[in-house]
Amino acid sequence: MSFPDINNESDTRTRIFLAAAELFSNYGYNRVSIRQICEKVGVGKPTLYYYFQDKETLLAELLRFSFSVSREMLRKLLEPAANFREQFKALVGMRALFARKYPHFMRFFFGMNIFTLPESIREEMVEHLQWAHRELEKLFVAAQRSGEINPRLNPALLNHAVLGAMNQMLIWNILTDRKQLMSGNDGRLLMEFWDECIFNYPH
Amino acid sequence: MSFPDINNESDTRTRIFLAAAELFSNYGYNRVSIRQICEKVGVGKPTLYYYFQDKETLLAELLRFSFSVSREMLRKLLEPAANFREQFKALVGMRALFARKYPHFMRFFFGMNIFTLPESIREEMVEHLQWAHRELEKLFVAAQRSGEINPRLNPALLNHAVLGAMNQMLIWNILTDRKQLMSGNDGRLLMEFWDECIFNYPH
Amino acid sequence: MSFPDINNESDTRTRIFLAAAELFSNYGYNRVSIRQICEKVGVGKPTLYYYFQDKETLLAELLRFSFSVSREMLRKLLEPAANFREQFKALVGMRALFARKYPHFMRFFFGMNIFTLPESIREEMVEHLQWAHRELEKLFVAAQRSGEINPRLNPALLNHAVLGAMNQMLIWNILTDRKQLMSGNDGRLLMEFWDECIFNYPH
Amino acid sequence: MSFPDINNESDTRTRIFLAAAELFSNYGYNRVSIRQICEKVGVGKPTLYYYFQDKETLLAELLRFSFSVSREMLRKLLEPAANFREQFKALVGMRALFARKYPHFMRFFFGMNIFTLPESIREEMVEHLQWAHRELEKLFVAAQRSGEINPRLNPALLNHAVLGAMNQMLIWNILTDRKQLMSGNDGRLLMEFWDECIFNYPH
DNA sequence: AATGAATGAGGATTCATTCAT
DNA sequence: AATGAATGAATCCTCATTCAT
C-alpha cells in the first residue's frame, strides 16, 4: 500500500480517499454508505471496490494515512535538540499545524469512535498512540534531568496533561463551531499556560 | 420524561434502558440494532417501541440520564467551600467515582461520537458541557482571587487542562484495557501533579 | 347485530363506529390503523376489540349500516306512486339527501375500493346493488308501459345512465373539493337534463 | 421518465411494471407489498429499488402511464371531425378498446381509491380528468351549435351522464364478473341509448 | 478502469391482535 | 367496561458486496 498523493485530485483513487475522509468525519463511519461516497466522487460502486477491498479497508487506509503523517511530523520534532522549550513549543505547534493542514482528518480522528473500530485497526491505532506516548515521555524525562522543567512531575501524567489539554481545546473548538480548530492565539495561550506550570517552577 | 430507577431491574423499561446503555457503550449507537437490544432483554421489538418512541429517543433519554447524574454530582461539589484544594480534590474524585459507579455510561460517553449525534441531542450535550465549563471557571477564578492557586493562569485553559488530563487518563486506561477506568492511585497521581503545577506556585 | 343509534355519542361503541367511518372515508380502510381509531376515540385498543371482533368486522358493520340506511330510503321511494316523474325526482333527491345527511358514509362508499374488500363483504355489497338495480328497472319498465318516459330506451342502460350520471357528479364534486357533495342546484340541473332526455321524448 | 415498452417482457423493469399493475389492480395499492411484486417477477427487493425510487414512485409511474395512454387516445378522437355522431361513437368505442387492450389498467383505475392516493399523484390525476372534461365539453358545445345534438342540454351534465353511464356499465360488469369489461353489444346498446336521448331530439 | 444490474441479509418501524388484570 | 403490557409477523427500505461485461 502506498499513501496517495493527497493533492493529486485527478486520481480517482485519491478522490475516493478524500471524499471518504470528509464524509466519515462529518457523519461517522457507520452512517456513511458506499453509495454516498461514490455519488460524491461521481463513480460507480464497483469502481470503489476496484481500488479498495471493502469499506473496512478504506477506513484502515484512511487511518494509516493519518498515522503516517502524524508519525512523520512527530519524528522530526522528537530529534534531540538543544533548547527543550523551543522543542516543546514546536510540538504544540505541530498539532495546530496538522489541524490547519488536514482539518478533515483532525475532525475525523476526534469523531472516530475508537471503541467501535474493527479490532485490527484499533490495535494499529493503539500501537501508534503508545509509541508516541513513549517517545514523548523520554523527552520529558530528559528535560527534567537537565532541569529545564519541574522534575517533581510524574512524566506519564505530564504526557496526559499536555496532550489532554490540547485535545480538550480542539474538541471545545469543534463543539462550539469555531472556524479554526486551533488558532495562533490558542497556541500562544497554551504555551503561556505550560510556561507557568512546568517551566517556571519553584526550585 | 422521568428517569428510570436504574436499580429496579424488574421493570421492563429499565431493563431495556440498561441493556441499551451497555450495548451502545460497547459497540456504538449505529452498530447496535433494536433486535440486539430486545434479544438481550428478552422481549419483542414492539415492546421496546411501547416504551420508547424510536431508537433516537432511546439514545436521547440515555444521554439525558447521564447528564442529569453528572449535573447532580457536579452541583453538590460546586457549592462554595472553605478549602479550595479539598474541593478540587473532590471534583477530581467525582470523575473517578462516576467511572466506578456507572462504568457503562462512562464508556458510553467516551465512545459516543458527538459529531454524528442527532442535532437536537448534540445541542443538549453541548449545552450541558458549556454549563459545566462555566461553573468550573467561576470556581477557578475565585480560587485565584483568594491566592489559593496560581493567579497567572488563564482560567479557560486551566479548565481544559484539568479536564483534558483526566479524560486523557481515562481514554488511555480504556484503550490499554485497564480493569479500573480510574484507580485510587490514578487519582492520587493526578492530585500530586496539579499540586505541583497550580497550587504550589512561585509567588 | 343491531345498528347503532348514530346520534348517541355517549355510547363508546358508537363513538368508535363514527370515528372509524370518518377515518376510513378520509384515508381508506387499509391506511387506517386500529391505533388511530382508538386514539381518536380516546380509548385503549382492547376496548375496541371488546365491541368489534376485529378490524374486518368493524368495516363490515359499517358497510351493513350504510346498506341498511340506503335500502330503507329506497324502499319508501319505490312504493307504487301515481306520478312517476315526481317519484323519479324523489329518487334523485334521495341521493342528494343521503350525501348531505351522511357525508362521511358517502365519501366512504366512493372511497371504498370494492375490489379489495373481503370476499364476504363484497358479496353482500353486490347483492345490495343488484337488488337496487332490479327494483329500479321494474320502476322504469312500468313508466315506459304507461308512456311517461321514452319506451324505446333499454331499461338496464337507463339504470346505468341515471345512476352513473349522479355518481359522476358526486365524484366530480368530491374531486374538485366542492363543499356540498350535491347541492340543490345540482339536483335541479340533473332533473332538467333527464326531463329533456327521457321524459320529453318525440312520440 | 420514459414509459416502458409495455410489450418488451424481457426487460426487468417492464416485468416489474406489469406485475405491479396486475397486483395493484387485484388487491389495491396498500394491500400489495414490495415482496409480493418481487416474488411475482422473480427478483430480489433491491432490484425493484434499483429501478424505482420507492413504492410510491412505482405507483406514480403506473398512473402516469395510464394517463399518457388515455390522453393519447383521446387526443386523436378530439380532433375536429365532420360527423359528430361518428366521433361520439368512436369516443364511446375508445373506452371499450382501452378496456380490452389494457384490462389490468382498467381494473387498476377503477380499483384505485383516489382519495387515499398520495397528494401529488392525486393532483396529477385530477388535472388529467379535468383536462379531459374540458375538452369533451367543448366538443359537445360545438355539436349543439351545429344542431347535431339537443342544444337544450347542459353541457357539463351531458359530460357527466355520458361518462357516468359508461363507467357504471364497466363497474357493473366488473362486479358481476363479466369476462368482457365492455363487449361489442354493450357498446351498441350504449350508442342506441344516446341516439334516443341526445341525437334524436324534438326540435 | 469502469459499469449496470443484481443480491442476501439486515435495518427500523408498525401492524392487528391478545393476554392478565 | 376498560386497560397496560406484550407479541409475531409483516411492512418499506438500505446495506455492503459481486457478477458479467
Side-chain angles (χ1 to χ4, degrees), chain B:
Chain B
M1 183 210 56
S2 68
F3 293 119
D5 174 0
I6 207 120
N7 294 311
N8 179 7
E9 295 239 354
S10 67
D11 176 21
T12 299
R13 192 189 139 96
T14 301
R15 275 162 54 224
I16 293 174
F17 203 72
L18 289 173
E22 189 172 340
L23 287 169
F24 285 164
S25 77
N26 282 333
Y27 307 106
Y29 175 70
N30 290 286
R31 300 257 273 238
V32 174
S33 74
I34 293 286
R35 181 156 57 87
Q36 274 174 280
I37 300 174
C38 292
E39 268 172 14
K40 194 175 172 74
V41 178
V43 298
K45 276 181 279 184
T47 303
L48 188 149
Y49 281 92
Y50 179 79
Y51 289 108
F52 301 92
Q53 212 179 72
D54 54 19
K55 201 186 174 191
E56 202 168 302
T57 304
L58 175 53
L59 173 65
E61 299 214 4
L62 227 32
L63 284 172
R64 279 195 203 107
F65 174 75
S66 306
F67 296 156
S68 80
V69 170
S70 101
R71 194 175 289 132
E72 221 44 59
M73 286 176 128
L74 252 183
R75 234 194 283 275
K76 273 181 208 149
L77 295 168
L78 289 171
E79 281 163 11
N83 184 341
F84 174 73
R85 196 180 163 278
E86 285 309 307
Q87 199 174 8
F88 183 89
K89 204 169 161 183
L91 277 162
V92 170
M94 185 206 86
R95 197 79 165 200
L97 186 65
F98 187 89
R100 235 170 279 142
K101 195 163 177 191
Y102 304 99
H104 281 317
F105 282 101
M106 201 71 194
R107 284 180 57 104
F108 177 53
F109 252 116
F110 278 102
M112 190 52 54
N113 179 348
I114 202 173
F115 311 117
T116 69
L117 291 178
E119 191 61 28
S120 64
I121 299 179
R122 189 184 142 173
E123 273 168 19
E124 232 171 300
M125 192 165 178
V126 170
E127 237 167 79
H128 171 65
L129 294 177
Q130 288 184 328
W131 168 80
H133 193 87
R134 273 196 313 273
E135 294 300 314
L136 273 178
E137 202 168 315
K138 278 191 225 162
L139 213 61
F140 285 130
V141 169
Q144 290 183 311
R145 282 217 188 96
S146 68
E148 281 167 293
I149 62 172
N150 187 342
R152 289 184 298 273
L153 300 170
N154 177 301
L157 258 178
L158 196 47
N159 236 334
H160 289 321
V162 169
L163 286 177
M166 249 184 321
N167 288 343
Q168 197 74 14
M169 272 188 92
L170 283 166
I171 289 178
W172 189 258
N173 287 344
I174 295 175
L175 278 181
T176 56
D177 268 333
R178 290 275 169 81
K179 278 178 206 165
Q180 275 203 304
L181 294 189
M182 185 163 279
S183 68
N185 196 45
D186 285 337
R188 222 168 301 124
L189 286 173
L190 210 48
M191 207 51 217
E192 279 172 28
F193 181 83
W194 293 121
D195 268 337
E196 271 302 325
C197 278
I198 62 176
F199 284 97
N200 178 25
Y201 64 98
H203 292 80

Side-chain angles (χ1 to χ4, degrees), chain A residues 15-58:
Chain A
R15 275 161 56 223
I16 294 174
F17 203 72
L18 288 174
E22 189 172 340
L23 288 169
F24 286 164
S25 77
N26 282 332
Y27 307 106
Y29 176 69
N30 289 286
R31 303 255 273 237
V32 174
S33 72
I34 294 285
R35 179 156 59 88
Q36 272 174 283
I37 301 173
C38 292
E39 267 172 16
K40 195 176 172 73
V41 178
V43 299
K45 277 181 279 185
T47 302
L48 187 150
Y49 280 93
Y50 178 80
Y51 290 109
F52 301 93
Q53 210 180 75
D54 54 20
K55 201 187 175 191
E56 202 168 300
T57 302
L58 174 54

Side-chain angles (χ1 to χ4, degrees), chain D residues 5-79:
Chain D
D5 174 0
I6 206 118
N7 294 312
N8 178 7
E9 294 239 356
S10 67
D11 176 20
T12 300
R13 192 189 139 97
T14 300
R15 276 161 54 223
I16 293 173
F17 204 71
L18 289 174
E22 189 172 341
L23 287 170
F24 285 164
S25 77
N26 282 332
Y27 307 105
Y29 175 69
N30 289 287
R31 299 255 274 238
V32 174
S33 72
I34 294 284
R35 180 155 59 86
Q36 273 174 281
I37 301 173
C38 291
E39 268 172 14
K40 194 177 172 72
V41 178
V43 297
K45 274 180 281 184
T47 302
L48 188 149
Y49 282 95
Y50 178 79
Y51 289 107
F52 301 93
Q53 212 180 72
D54 54 20
K55 203 186 173 190
E56 202 168 302
T57 303
L58 174 54
L59 173 66
E61 298 213 3
L62 226 33
L63 285 172
R64 279 194 203 108
F65 174 74
S66 306
F67 296 156
S68 78
V69 170
S70 102
R71 193 175 288 133
E72 220 44 58
M73 286 176 126
L74 252 182
R75 232 193 284 274
K76 275 181 207 146
L77 296 166
L78 290 171
E79 282 163 12

Side-chain angles (χ1 to χ4, degrees), chain A residues 4-190:
Chain A
D5 174 1
I6 207 118
N7 294 312
N8 178 6
E9 294 238 355
S10 67
D11 175 23
T12 300
R13 190 189 141 97
T14 301
R15 275 161 56 223
I16 294 174
F17 203 72
L18 288 174
E22 189 172 340
L23 288 169
F24 286 164
S25 77
N26 282 332
Y27 307 106
Y29 176 69
N30 289 286
R31 303 255 273 237
V32 174
S33 72
I34 294 285
R35 179 156 59 88
Q36 272 174 283
I37 301 173
C38 292
E39 267 172 16
K40 195 176 172 73
V41 178
V43 299
K45 277 181 279 185
T47 302
L48 187 150
Y49 280 93
Y50 178 80
Y51 290 109
F52 301 93
Q53 210 180 75
D54 54 20
K55 201 187 175 191
E56 202 168 300
T57 302
L58 174 54
L59 173 66
E61 299 214 3
L62 225 34
L63 285 172
R64 277 192 205 110
F65 173 75
S66 305
F67 297 156
S68 78
V69 169
S70 100
R71 193 175 289 131
E72 219 46 56
M73 286 177 127
L74 252 183
R75 231 192 285 276
K76 275 180 208 149
L77 295 167
L78 289 171
E79 282 163 11
N83 184 339
F84 174 74
R85 197 180 162 279
E86 284 310 307
Q87 197 174 10
F88 182 89
K89 205 168 160 184
L91 277 162
V92 170
M94 185 205 87
R95 197 78 164 203
L97 186 66
F98 188 89
R100 235 170 282 143
K101 195 162 177 192
Y102 303 99
H104 280 316
F105 282 103
M106 201 73 194
R107 285 180 55 103
F108 176 53
F109 251 115
F110 279 102
M112 191 52 54
N113 179 348
I114 201 172
F115 312 118
T116 70
L117 291 176
E119 191 61 28
S120 64
I121 299 178
R122 190 184 140 173
E123 273 168 19
E124 228 171 304
M125 190 164 178
V126 171
E127 235 166 80
H128 170 65
L129 293 176
Q130 287 185 328
W131 167 80
H133 193 86
R134 271 197 315 273
E135 294 300 315
L136 273 177
E137 201 169 315
K138 276 191 228 163
L139 213 62
F140 283 130
V141 169
Q144 288 183 314
R145 282 218 188 95
S146 68
E148 281 167 293
I149 61 171
N150 186 341
R152 290 184 298 273
L153 299 171
N154 177 299
L157 258 177
L158 196 47
N159 237 332
H160 289 321
V162 169
L163 286 176
M166 248 183 324
N167 289 342
Q168 197 73 15
M169 271 189 94
L170 283 166
I171 290 178
W172 189 257
N173 286 345
I174 295 176
L175 279 182
T176 55
D177 270 330
R178 290 275 170 82
K179 278 176 204 166
Q180 275 204 304
L181 294 190
M182 185 162 280
S183 67
N185 195 47
D186 284 338
R188 222 168 302 125
L189 286 173
L190 210 48

Side-chain angles (χ1 to χ4, degrees), chain C residues 22 36 66 69 72 161 175:
Chain C
E22 189 172 340
Q36 273 175 282
S66 306
V69 170
E72 219 47 56
L175 277 182

